[in-house]
């Protein structure tokens, strides 16, 4: 229906405004991952408006310790002036415009997260303009549903929480998760004690674990941990060393038996080119809110495919980020095809997030161990503006 309207405009739309919504909510119970204590959840959402009345939504990745105002400032001061008046359907053209303009002070981190948020919003508009989900614009859906994995096992005291974490594993399983990712990186001995307790608790259940240390260790400790967990049939070992240590990543792949994953702290085709050229990962984890958005993910997926690397997006944001992740997952080709090939999975953070579920009118939930990929236009979601107001900074 919208195609007809666009025909009259010769496929031209115009960006009329870009609004930024910084949301925050203090947590009743702070929790830790290996890099620090998370005391509030936050989000940098972006809303791109057009002359046709179509609105697109995007979100910049706000890691638990990252002030959401950094990406917000980059959008307001660096990107918005480049985009007002432009045609939002020129997704690739605008991505390069934003990247070139910020190259000398960007390329990584929150500046690329800002580009990511805007880019996702442009793809949301494009889907709405062409009346299709984003995955259709990416070439179609390889899958209509995805198995979620529970990201959890954060700490509320610090060390010595093995018994509580073992109970948490059972809780995730009983709420429908067969896959779960255990946060480690609180000291190798403590990590191993936790994994033993979890392993005993889940014995006999159909559960697959992943681990994630958030680059807490140097190579020797990272190897020690990996070797100690060789028998846990881990789906992957995530961020074993710092993102700068590509040779360390390669060493993990050479010396450990489980697949090595990483990439949530890497950006754009240029960053992922280095990761793949170094043979650093079995599983690449671009985050749609920080890798450069859907446009950059498209570049990264093609590069990964050429290197025989699987892509499994990382996501730790609100419902807007989750929806973007689901659109990419739908359109992900498999690097290793077979009848019973391993499919990508959807990261579902189970830590406290006061507005994640409320933010959209139909929250993204798992039912019977599966998440259905939204098939509405664009991201396929509707943002609840009352929730924006409630959590606005
Ligand atoms: Ca991670």
């Amino acid at each position: 229906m919208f195609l007809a309207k666009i025909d009259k405009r010769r496929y031209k739309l115009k960006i009329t405004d870009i609004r930024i919504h910084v949301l925050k909510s203090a947590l009743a119970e702070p929790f830790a991952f290996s890099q620090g204590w998370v005391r509030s959840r936050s989000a940098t959402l972006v809303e791109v408006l057009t002359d046709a009345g179509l609105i697109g939504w995007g979100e910049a990745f706000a890691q638990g310790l990252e002030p959401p105002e950094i990406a917000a400032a980059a959008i307001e001061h660096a990107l918005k002036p480049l985009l007002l008046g432009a045609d939002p359907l020129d997704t690739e053209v605008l991505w390069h415009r934003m990247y070139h303009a910020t190259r000398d002070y960007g390329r990584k981190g929150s500046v690329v997260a800002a580009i990511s948020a805007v880019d996702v919003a442009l793809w949301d508009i494009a889907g709405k303009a062409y009346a299709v989900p984003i995955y259709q614009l990416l070439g179609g859906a390889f899958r209509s549903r995805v198995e979620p994995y529970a990201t959890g096992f954060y700490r509320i005291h610090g060390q010595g929480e093995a018994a509580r974490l073992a109970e948490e594993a059972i809780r995730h399983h009983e709420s429908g998760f067969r896959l779960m990712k255990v946060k480690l990186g609180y000291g190798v001995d403590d990590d191993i004690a936790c994994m033993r307790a979890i392993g005993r608790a889940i014995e006999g259940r159909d559960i697959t674990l992943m681990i994630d240390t958030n680059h807490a260790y140097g190579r020797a400790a990272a190897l020690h941990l990996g070797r100690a967990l060789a028998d846990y049939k881990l789906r992957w070992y995530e961020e074993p060393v710092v993102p700068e240590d590509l040779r360390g990543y390669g060493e993990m792949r050479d010396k450990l038996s489980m697949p090595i994953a990483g990439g949530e702290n890497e950006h754009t085709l240029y960053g992922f080119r280095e990761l793949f050229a170094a043979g650093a990962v079995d599983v690449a984890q671009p985050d749609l809110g920080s890798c450069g958005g859907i446009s950059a993910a498209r570049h990264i997926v093609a590069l990964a495919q050429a290197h025989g690397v699987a892509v499994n997006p990382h996501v730790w944001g609100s419902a807007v980020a989750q929806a973007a992740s689901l659109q990419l997952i739908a359109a992900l080709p498999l690097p290793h095809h077979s009848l019973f090939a391993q499919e990508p999975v959807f990261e579902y953070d189970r830590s406290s997030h006061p507005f994640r579920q409320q933010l959209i009118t139909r929250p993204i939930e798992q039912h019977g161990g599966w998440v259905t990929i939204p098939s509405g236009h664009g991201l396929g979601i509707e943002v609840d503006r009352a929730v924006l107001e409630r959590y606005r900074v």
Side-chain angles (χ1 to χ4, degrees):
M1 191 185 88
F2 208 87
L3 279 174
K5 284 189 208 165
I6 287 188
D7 270 332
K8 288 181 204 141
R9 294 166 178 269
R10 295 182 181 177
Y11 293 93
K12 284 284 182 198
L13 291 173
K14 197 184 274 186
I15 296 173
T16 51
D17 198 8
I18 295 179
R19 294 182 192 150
I20 302 141
H21 307 273
V22 175
L23 311 184
K24 264 188 208 171
S25 178
L27 295 174
E29 183 172 64
F31 62 84
F33 68 118
S34 76
Q35 301 304 299
W37 288 93
V38 179
R39 302 183 192 284
S40 69
R41 290 303 290 246
S42 55
T44 314
L45 298 179
V46 65
E47 181 185 9
V48 177
L49 292 84
T50 63
D51 60 345
L54 291 177
I55 290 172
W57 291 94
E59 178 174 351
F61 176 40
Q63 188 253 38
L65 307 176
E66 175 179 343
E69 292 86 356
I70 306 175
I75 296 168
E76 178 67 29
H77 300 291
L79 305 181
K80 188 172 169 178
L82 303 172
L83 297 169
L84 290 178
D87 186 338
L89 303 181
D90 290 344
T91 48
E92 187 74 14
V93 172
L94 297 179
W95 190 89
H96 286 274
R97 184 184 293 176
M98 293 189 282
Y99 188 81
H100 290 321
T102 58
R103 172 175 274 119
D104 288 4
Y105 57 92
R107 299 201 304 275
K108 305 269 187 193
S110 298
V111 172
V112 183
I115 293 175
S116 307
V118 171
D119 180 82
V120 168
L122 298 182
W123 280 86
D124 189 24
I125 290 170
K128 288 166 178 166
Y130 296 119
V132 292
I134 290 172
Y135 63 67
Q136 195 63 56
L137 300 175
L138 294 174
F142 288 92
R143 53 197 68 81
S144 59
R145 62 178 196 168
V146 57
E147 189 171 0
Y149 72 85
T151 290
F153 306 91
Y154 299 88
R155 304 305 175 85
I156 54 176
H157 302 298
Q159 296 182 318
E161 299 188 59
R164 187 181 64 76
L165 299 179
E167 285 166 21
E168 182 178 335
I170 299 302
R171 204 165 61 243
H172 291 317
H173 193 228
E174 287 175 354
S175 54
F177 289 92
R178 201 184 59 78
L179 300 165
M180 40 196 93
K181 187 164 83 186
V182 182
K183 286 287 181 183
L184 297 177
Y186 308 84
V188 173
D189 290 343
D190 191 78
D191 289 348
I192 293 171
C194 290
M195 288 299 286
R196 285 193 180 134
I198 293 168
R200 278 194 301 272
I202 67 173
E203 212 176 331
R205 295 181 186 238
D206 177 21
I207 292 175
T208 298
L209 299 175
M210 299 91 133
I211 60 165
D212 181 5
T213 63
N214 291 92
H215 54 73
Y217 303 127
R219 294 186 200 179
L223 277 176
H224 178 183
L225 177 64
R227 285 178 172 138
L229 302 180
D231 296 333
Y232 283 70
K233 295 185 181 151
L234 299 177
R235 173 147 170 163
W236 68 59
Y237 179 178
E238 180 170 324
E239 287 205 293
V241 292
V242 291
E244 298 90 337
D245 187 12
L246 296 183
R247 288 179 66 178
Y249 264 95
E251 193 179 333
M252 300 301 129
R253 278 189 80 206
D254 287 345
K255 294 183 177 169
L256 296 175
S257 54
M258 69 283 283
I260 300 298
E264 70 182 79
N265 287 304
E266 197 46 84
H267 309 272
T268 77
L269 72 165
Y270 305 111
F272 279 86
R273 175 191 61 192
E274 300 308 311
L275 208 64
F276 300 151
V281 291
D282 297 284
V283 182
Q285 301 172 295
D287 186 304
L288 271 301
S290 79
C291 75
I294 300 272
S295 298
R298 205 160 58 142
H299 308 151
I300 293 162
V301 168
L303 268 179
Q305 193 77 5
H307 285 85
V309 171
V311 173
N312 207 126
H314 168 272
V315 60
W316 206 71
S318 80
V320 174
Q322 288 181 318
S325 188
L326 288 172
Q327 291 296 313
L328 178 65
I329 285 174
L332 275 180
L334 293 177
H336 313 291
H337 173 263
S338 74
L339 278 179
F340 305 103
Q342 191 173 64
E343 290 282 320
V345 288
F346 173 62
E347 177 160 24
Y348 207 125
D349 169 44
R350 306 307 290 167
S351 67
S352 175
H353 195 316
F355 52 86
R356 175 174 45 218
Q357 299 301 88
Q358 302 167 32
L359 191 62
I360 58 174
T361 52
R362 270 183 298 171
I364 291 159
E365 301 278 15
Q366 61 100 1
H367 297 287
W370 293 93
V371 171
T372 301
I373 296 170
S375 56
H377 303 166
L379 290 171
I381 56 167
E382 200 176 320
V383 172
D384 182 345
R385 287 184 184 274
V387 174
L388 290 182
E389 295 312 317
R390 199 173 316 146
Y391 293 101
R392 183 186 303 284
V393 173

